[in-house]
């Protein structure tokens, strides 16, 4: 079978990636998101070397990729990688505009402020990913997001993931999704995408 690819698509694929701050463009520019554990010590290295030249978005995971009891080490390693990226930008080794969008997948809402306070160049952080987002944790996640944005120079976005049994339970799904929609609409300017998870 032959697949036809038009010239416009080829131009888009081959064009060098440059970050955008335009919300309407940004939410459609993420591409496939690469996930990596926060324990990965080589995050800054492969980003600076552009090991994956077409990578548009990276998620650094502090949730299910991190073993119980190792959160402190993961946070320290995350800080180290962001410090190395900041130093590379300051030294002119790489332009911040050419780095992929970087998200941190947190385990719980308090990690958001902890992560944000560790990053000396916050503009390198695009936002947070909220796992198992549902009516029980939505308000506290969104409150923490708003609090960070009150003091941030750049907008810090969020991408909630709908993946819990609260959402998947067919008996209450319409009500739950309606409630989630209402809560997210109030913070619409911070919500890039709503993602669907299938593992849980």
């Amino acid at each position: 079978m032959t697949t036809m690819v038009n010239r416009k698509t080829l131009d888009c694929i081959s064009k060098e990636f440059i970050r955008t701050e335009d919300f309407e463009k940004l939410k459609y520019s993420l591409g496939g998101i690469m996930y990596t554990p926060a324990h990965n010590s080589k995050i800054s290295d492969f980003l600076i070397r552009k090991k994956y030249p077409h990578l548009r978005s990276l998620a650094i995971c502090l949730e299910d990729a991190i073993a119980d009891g190792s959160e402190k080490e993961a946070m320290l390693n995350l800080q180290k990688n962001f410090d190395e990226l900041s130093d590379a930008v300051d030294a002119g080794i790489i332009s911040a505009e050419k780095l992929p969008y970087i998200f941190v997948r947190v385990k719980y809402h308090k990690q958001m402020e902890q992560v944000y306070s560790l990053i000396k160049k916050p503009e390198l952080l695009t936002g947070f990913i909220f796992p198992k987002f549902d009516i029980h944790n939505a308000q506290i996640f969104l409150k923490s997001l708003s609090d960070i944005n009150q003091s941030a120079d750049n907008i810090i976005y969020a991408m909630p993931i709908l993946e819990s049994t609260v959402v998947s339970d067919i008996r209450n799904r319409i009500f739950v999704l309606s409630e989630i929609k209402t809560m997210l609409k109030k913070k619409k300017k911070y919500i890039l995408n709503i993602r669907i998870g299938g593992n849980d």
Side-chain angles (χ1 to χ4, degrees):
M1 184 174 70
T2 303
T3 302
M4 301 297 292
V5 181
N6 62 37
R7 173 57 57 185
K8 197 170 185 180
T9 302
L10 285 173
D11 289 343
C12 183
I13 293 171
S14 62
K15 188 182 293 184
E16 184 179 17
F17 170 67
I18 298 177
R19 289 160 61 121
T20 179
E21 295 183 5
D22 185 305
F23 179 79
E24 291 303 315
K25 291 180 181 178
L26 174 57
K27 64 186 181 181
Y28 295 113
S29 301
L30 302 180
I33 300 180
M34 175 189 283
Y35 275 73
T36 188
H39 282 308
N40 185 346
S41 62
K42 297 183 179 180
I43 296 172
S44 59
D45 178 65
F46 71 67
L47 291 178
I48 293 167
R49 291 191 297 108
K50 297 187 97 39
K51 181 178 180 181
Y52 308 103
H54 298 294
L55 179 65
R56 290 175 172 264
S57 302
L58 177 72
I60 303 173
C61 186
L62 284 167
E63 199 225 359
D64 52 8
I66 301 302
D68 292 340
S70 63
E71 179 184 329
K72 182 178 180 180
E73 291 78 8
M75 293 287 277
L76 288 172
N77 190 64
L78 183 145
Q79 180 181 20
K80 178 187 80 73
N81 277 290
F82 270 105
D83 283 350
E84 290 170 353
L85 285 176
S86 297
D87 292 344
V89 170
D90 288 341
I93 296 171
I94 190 167
S95 167
E97 289 74 25
K98 293 184 180 180
L99 285 170
Y101 302 113
I102 302 175
F103 297 87
V104 175
R105 176 177 167 126
V106 292
K107 188 171 186 175
Y108 47 86
H109 73 279
K110 289 183 180 179
Q111 281 184 334
M112 294 167 61
E113 184 60 46
Q114 294 169 3
V115 167
Y116 189 74
S117 67
L118 292 175
I119 301 173
K120 63 183 180 183
K121 198 180 286 292
E123 60 267 28
L124 298 181
L125 176 69
T126 304
F128 293 99
I129 295 175
F130 302 154
K132 302 175 180 66
F133 188 82
D134 58 41
I135 56 176
H136 299 304
N137 59 24
Q139 293 284 17
I140 194 67
F141 269 127
L142 295 173
K143 171 71 165 56
S144 295
L145 180 67
S146 293
D147 289 346
I148 288 173
N149 275 290
Q150 291 300 314
S151 59
D153 293 329
N154 57 299
I155 296 178
I156 301 297
Y157 294 102
M159 291 194 293
I161 305 180
L162 307 182
E163 57 184 340
S164 69
T165 54
V166 175
V167 175
S168 62
D169 188 340
I170 195 170
R171 294 169 296 182
N172 302 307
R173 188 182 300 163
I174 294 176
F175 167 77
V176 170
L177 291 177
S178 177
E179 289 293 298
I180 289 173
K181 179 180 179 182
T182 299
M183 288 185 276
L184 289 177
K185 278 188 77 173
K186 296 176 182 177
K187 306 296 180 183
K188 185 177 180 181
K189 63 181 178 180
Y190 301 139
I191 308 300
L192 275 183
N193 287 304
I194 300 171
R195 306 181 72 80
I196 306 296
N199 292 337
D200 299 305

